[in-house]
Amino acid sequence: MKKVIFVLFLSVCSWATQAQSKDEVAVANAVEALKKAMIDADKTALENLAAEELSYGHSGGKVEDKAEFVRAIVSGESDFVTIDLSEQTIKIVGNNAIVRHKLFAKTNNKGQAGTANIAILLVWQKQKGQWKLLARQAVKI
């Protein structure tokens, strides 16, 4: 009987470590909302998701603030046709969240079709109960 209880205990512990916290789910939803807003070039959504202090780093070294990031997406200078994310991890640290994933995208930057295959680090910060994108850095794979 003790063996059965021990196995059940281990199963519950294993399940608990795999379950996402409420904040992890909220951050995952924010990442999905950002992805959609970038594909749709939705200015309002982009402005609502980005922190005022945003530092948005591209894999080529260019760094944009919030206004530059939103303008580039909305103008089509940085045009995402599709975005596929994989291998995503989320770690909550106080009021911050560290998100890593791989991004594969079809782009149409300034009317020029292309692709992006990069690794991304996102830093989200909980501000007034909402998760806001504080920093992003991309690196070439």
Side-chain angles (χ1 to χ4, degrees), residues 59-118:
S59 62
K62 181 179 181 181
V63 178
E64 298 170 329
D65 64 15
K66 178 179 179 176
E68 293 166 326
F69 159 68
V70 172
R71 183 202 53 76
I73 298 289
V74 173
S75 72
E77 180 181 322
S78 184
D79 183 5
F80 289 91
V81 178
T82 65
I83 299 175
D84 294 309
L85 305 177
S86 64
E87 300 178 41
Q88 182 163 282
T89 61
I90 299 171
K91 179 154 179 96
I92 305 297
V93 183
N95 284 332
N96 299 301
I98 300 166
V99 178
R100 290 186 177 273
H101 54 234
K102 298 215 174 130
L103 177 148
F104 179 79
K106 291 182 181 176
T107 60
N108 193 25
N109 298 343
K110 297 180 185 174
Q112 184 76 16
T115 61
N117 188 20
I118 52 181

Side-chain angles (χ1 to χ4, degrees), residues 7-55:
V7 169
L8 287 173
F9 173 76
L10 287 178
S11 296
V12 168
C13 288
S14 175
W15 173 81
T17 61
Q18 292 174 357
Q20 287 187 312
S21 73
K22 182 179 175 183
D23 279 332
E24 288 171 326
V25 170
V27 170
N29 289 338
V31 171
E32 282 300 310
L34 178 64
K35 177 179 131 176
K36 182 179 183 336
M38 290 173 71
I39 292 168
D40 295 345
D42 183 337
K43 182 178 181 182
T44 301
L46 292 169
E47 289 175 338
N48 288 336
L49 288 163
E52 292 304 318
E53 310 84 356
L54 178 64
S55 177

